[in-house]
Amino acid sequence: MSEAQAVQAVARESEHQDAIIRVERLVKRYPGRPTNAVDGISFAVARGEIFGLLGPNGAGKTTTIGILTTRVMPTSGRAEIAGVDVARRPVEAKRRFAVVPQRNNLDRSLTARQNLIFHAAYFGMAPAERERRADALLEQFGLSDRGNERVDRYSGGMAQRLMIARALMHRPDVLFLDEPTTGLDPQSRLFVWDRVRDLHRAGLSVVLTTHAIDEAESMCGRVAIIDHGCLLALDRPQALKSLVPGHRALEVRALFSPEQAGTGGPALANHLRGLPGVERVEEVGKEAPVPAGAPPVAPGGPWGQAGPPPASPRPGEVVLRLYAGAGTSGLITAVAQATAAAGAEIADLKSHDVSLEDVFIHLTGRGLR
Amino acid sequence: MAVLEQAAPEPVTRGTALGAIGAIFRRDVVVTGREFWMFLAQVLLQPLATLFIFGRILPGIGMASGDYAKILMPGVVVLTVVITALQSTAMPLVIEFGWTKEIEDRLLAPLPVTWVGVQKVLFAAARGVVAGIVIFPLGIWIVGAAAVHVTPANVGPIAFYTVMAALVGATIGLTLGTLVGPQQINIMFALILTPMLFTGCTQYPWAELGHERWFQILTLFNPMTYASEGLRAAMVPTLPHLSHLVVVPVLIASIILFGAVGLRGFQRRSVD
């Protein structure tokens, strides 16, 4: 069994009985393209779950969401929302979900309130109810006082809030959020995530794509990691992080005298590798003589160009990351002693949290962006 | 948190596709209604100026025959109806598909996406018909009642050709709107709309073009020619004109052809 097949088998095993979304061997090839944009993805989303799709641009996330939301026809495979085949019965499927797209697609000829009311009218909601619901949602999303304004005057954050409010008007079972906080200021991001948590508590199922790793980790019950149209891994964020060998890490910045830096670093790394419980040690940054004409940072290093950027080391400084599966707290004293014994001063010593990005790099060897 | 009820096992809204299309019509009426005077100014200024210069000023100074207004009037009505309907589908589609994406909320409404295209055509045609209706009283005012021949006997054929002209314009607009990207709007006006304006037999009767045979043949490729000839035959039956037996089938065929190509384009732009 290939690794991809194994992953899909695991995905099928974890499939919930009460799935609101079911995707089976989904394939999409756009005409004239040499490869599949979505290449045999299978997964299921449980009712009431917040499910994250994580992957770099072009990985197939948006196409997958496009198929589920009836805007892209699958080449083969099957996708269901609430038991409705989205390709065969798109009209019925459209009643079940709502989409908040990455780009503002509000109806600019209408006011904010009319955007909500007409959306509900398209879904056949009775006039009195859609008025009441529009007012309630405007209130909840902090837009009551601007409800009668044309939306072309809205800021990015307000438009995003209004799009979520609009999506909720027809009471969908599933809410699709495509990069919901891209381009928002921190306050608006927090507001959006707070509302999403409220919706989750109220029982709504949410599927979101995001580049913001920390947000995916804190928001999602499970995360699917997608690359080149394939599902690489699917699990709870904590479980995914345990895929990275030595998924707890300690980062030490050791300051050597300049003449010692070249030899002291590797020697210290070797010494640290011998400490009990340490699974791996990587040198993630050091001040090195830059050959003329070469880029200042070699691409494709252990963290790729997109990895967590180590703060630029000072002359003579060596940054080492120790991975230890069983935890790193017991290592602090030993690391401090070893560094001192190597003749270096400790500039910093901190625990490094393995992120979903580390998982992605572990699975693909590349950064997310 | 009253609005965040538990997700329902069955969809709460059970509206029909017809109900959805009705709501989209209401949306369009609200948007057009709010800008109604702007809409009228936009579609009426050019035909009224045309009627004034060619139907009143030129005959007044002896540079056109007094009867020219009779020939011109049906042509100006067709021109207004076709161009208004065409722009009412083409422009919003180019902008909404290419740039603002605001059509997406309607594409995700619970109705087949092609119905959204059909609705666009019907509403654009309605705008064309409204513009055409308004031309009549204004035409009487500018070129005189004698040049605007409307009687109980020909009001039926006039209404028929006005509606046909509107549907031709709206379906051509649907085709253009789904084929043309936002960067090509200027080219569309220069290369398609301008030739259409002058080869549609709106300013001259087709039968009189015998001395420029190549041009007479060229005008046959413009669906507007048949609408102009049909409406002119209804309003000024004494002038030589293309037979209704030619005009009506060609108009219907144009609507079917451009409607089908346009809806295919619409489907292609709506669903990848």
Side-chain angles (χ1 to χ4, degrees):
Chain A
M1 199 193 297
S2 76
E3 193 176 345
Q5 281 169 328
V7 167
Q8 308 236 317
V10 171
R12 275 193 294 279
E13 265 171 42
S14 64
E15 211 167 89
H16 297 247
Q17 283 301 307
D18 186 24
I20 188 79
I21 294 177
R22 221 179 272 278
V23 171
E24 281 169 23
R25 293 183 291 281
L26 200 61
V27 174
K28 175 63 184 182
R29 180 180 294 226
Y30 289 105
R33 298 288 174 83
T35 54
N36 292 335
V38 170
D39 198 10
I41 284 181
S42 300
F43 64 87
V45 177
R47 201 176 276 277
E49 182 174 20
I50 299 186
F51 187 87
L53 287 173
L54 192 67
N57 286 332
K61 299 175 305 218
T62 300
T63 300
T64 304
I65 288 202
I67 293 171
L68 282 166
T69 57
T70 74
R71 294 299 306 282
V72 177
M73 278 301 281
T75 307
S76 67
R78 193 176 160 84
E80 278 179 9
I81 292 185
V84 178
D85 186 319
V86 295
R88 292 209 183 117
R89 291 163 63 205
V91 176
E92 185 53 31
K94 285 193 270 192
R95 293 179 201 287
R96 304 298 196 141
F97 65 78
V99 192
V100 178
Q102 217 175 114
R103 265 189 56 181
N104 177 350
N105 70 350
L106 292 166
D107 197 330
R108 286 160 213 219
S109 310
L110 301 175
T111 66
R113 195 161 178 278
Q114 284 173 329
N115 262 280
L116 303 189
I117 286 173
F118 275 112
H119 178 89
Y122 302 158
F123 284 84
M125 190 178 278
E129 194 192 354
R130 60 187 187 234
E131 304 259 336
R132 182 191 64 77
R133 195 165 166 78
D135 289 335
L137 281 165
L138 284 173
E139 171 79 42
Q140 197 194 333
F141 281 81
L143 297 167
S144 287
D145 52 335
R146 310 277 302 264
N148 290 319
E149 261 177 55
R150 287 268 288 269
V151 296
D152 41 16
R153 299 200 199 119
Y154 267 34
S155 69
M158 288 166 72
Q160 184 70 356
R161 271 139 62 190
L162 185 61
M163 285 197 289
I164 299 176
R166 180 183 64 181
L168 298 174
M169 276 301 287
H170 69 279
R171 295 198 180 89
D173 294 335
V174 185
L175 181 63
F176 290 95
L177 298 164
D178 198 3
E179 302 280 347
T181 54
T182 301
L184 295 190
D185 58 79
Q187 204 183 350
S188 297
R189 291 168 93 99
L190 288 177
F191 186 89
V192 164
W193 290 129
D194 279 348
R195 292 290 81 74
V196 172
R197 279 192 195 94
D198 290 342
L199 296 167
H200 175 233
R201 274 195 288 273
L204 193 75
S205 314
V206 179
V207 175
L208 62 91
T209 71
T210 182
H211 272 128
I213 312 300
D214 50 333
E215 292 177 345
E217 284 187 42
S218 66
M219 293 296 301
C220 299
R222 287 186 309 149
V223 172
I225 295 183
I226 294 182
D227 193 30
H228 297 306
C230 294
L231 189 67
L232 301 180
L234 167 59
D235 213 327
R236 291 173 296 107
Q238 278 309 320
L240 285 176
K241 286 197 259 181
S242 67
L243 289 177
V244 180
H247 57 283
R248 280 156 210 270
L250 195 64
E251 190 175 281
V252 58
R253 289 174 169 267
L255 198 57
F256 287 92
S257 61
E259 58 274 16
Q260 250 191 308
T263 53
L268 176 59
N270 268 335
H271 185 75
L272 294 177
R273 274 184 197 107
L275 292 179
V278 172
E279 293 177 9
R280 206 151 55 94
V281 176
E282 278 185 25
E283 192 164 342
V284 293
K286 77 171 180 183
E287 199 261 347
V290 179
V297 177
W303 295 96
Q305 278 181 309
S312 45
R314 289 175 286 175
E317 190 174 272
V318 173
V319 183
L320 298 170
R321 213 173 270 170
L322 290 76
Y323 294 89
T328 52
S329 49
L331 285 169
I332 292 172
T333 315
V335 170
Q337 284 168 351
T339 308
E345 190 186 318
I346 296 176
D348 195 8
L349 182 60
K350 63 183 179 194
S351 68
H352 166 81
D353 285 332
V354 172
S355 73
L356 285 182
E357 176 140 38
D358 295 329
V359 178
F360 187 81
I361 292 163
H362 170 69
L363 291 171
T364 68
R366 293 180 296 113
L368 262 170
R369 281 166 210 261
Chain B
M1 263 322 111
V3 283
L4 301 177
E5 307 87 334
Q6 284 293 117
E10 283 298 310
V12 179
T13 52
R14 298 277 353 163
T16 60
L18 273 179
I21 218 167
I24 297 176
F25 268 110
R26 286 202 300 284
R27 178 254 172 215
D28 284 350
V29 168
V30 165
V31 171
T32 302
R34 184 165 44 213
E35 292 159 351
F36 192 66
W37 295 112
M38 235 154 77
F39 159 69
L40 282 186
Q42 208 179 324
V43 301
L44 292 182
L45 215 55
Q46 201 199 341
L48 294 183
T50 307
L51 279 178
F52 180 69
I53 300 295
F54 295 93
R56 189 156 148 185
I57 296 291
L58 293 191
I61 58 176
M63 297 189 72
S65 96
D67 277 352
Y68 183 54
K70 279 188 189 173
I71 296 171
L72 193 60
M73 180 65 198
V76 166
V77 171
V78 165
L79 191 69
T80 307
V81 172
V82 170
I83 298 303
T84 301
L86 189 153
Q87 291 193 335
S88 298
T89 40
M91 296 299 287
L93 285 178
V94 169
I95 293 166
E96 292 185 12
F97 274 130
W99 182 239
T100 65
K101 309 283 181 197
E102 54 194 311
I103 198 170
E104 284 178 356
D105 195 37
R106 279 160 272 161
L107 295 176
L108 289 172
L111 75 171
V113 287
T114 48
W115 289 31
V116 180
V118 172
Q119 187 277 340
K120 272 262 183 235
V121 166
L122 295 179
F123 192 76
R127 279 169 63 115
V129 169
V130 168
I133 290 171
V134 179
I135 289 277
F136 281 92
L138 293 173
I140 292 172
W141 175 55
I142 292 173
V143 298
V148 184
H149 182 66
V150 184
T151 65
N154 71 356
V155 76
I158 289 174
F160 172 77
Y161 284 113
T162 305
V163 170
M164 292 306 256
L167 288 171
V168 165
T171 49
I172 293 176
L174 180 72
T175 302
L176 293 178
T178 54
L179 288 181
V180 171
Q183 307 86 350
Q184 297 134 1
I185 287 186
N186 289 334
I187 292 287
M188 175 178 91
F189 274 102
L191 295 187
I192 297 170
L193 228 48
T194 308
M196 254 187 89
L197 296 181
F198 292 101
T199 58
C201 291
T202 57
Q203 303 95 339
Y204 42 81
W206 183 82
E208 305 287 336
L209 294 175
H211 63 291
E212 294 283 359
R213 191 71 183 151
W214 68 270
F215 187 68
Q216 193 179 34
I217 292 167
L218 184 72
T219 58
L220 291 176
F221 291 96
N222 186 346
M224 212 193 309
T225 294
Y226 302 89
S228 302
E229 285 290 303
L231 190 64
R232 198 172 284 122
M235 287 176 71
V236 201
T238 50
L239 273 175
H241 54 76
L242 283 171
S243 159
H244 291 293
L245 293 176
V246 174
V247 166
V248 175
V250 174
L251 283 175
I252 292 173
S254 301
I255 293 166
I256 292 173
L257 174 72
F258 285 106
V261 173
L263 281 180
R264 266 184 64 168
F266 190 88
Q267 169 90 28
R268 198 173 41 78
R269 294 294 294 269
S270 306
V271 181
D272 273 328

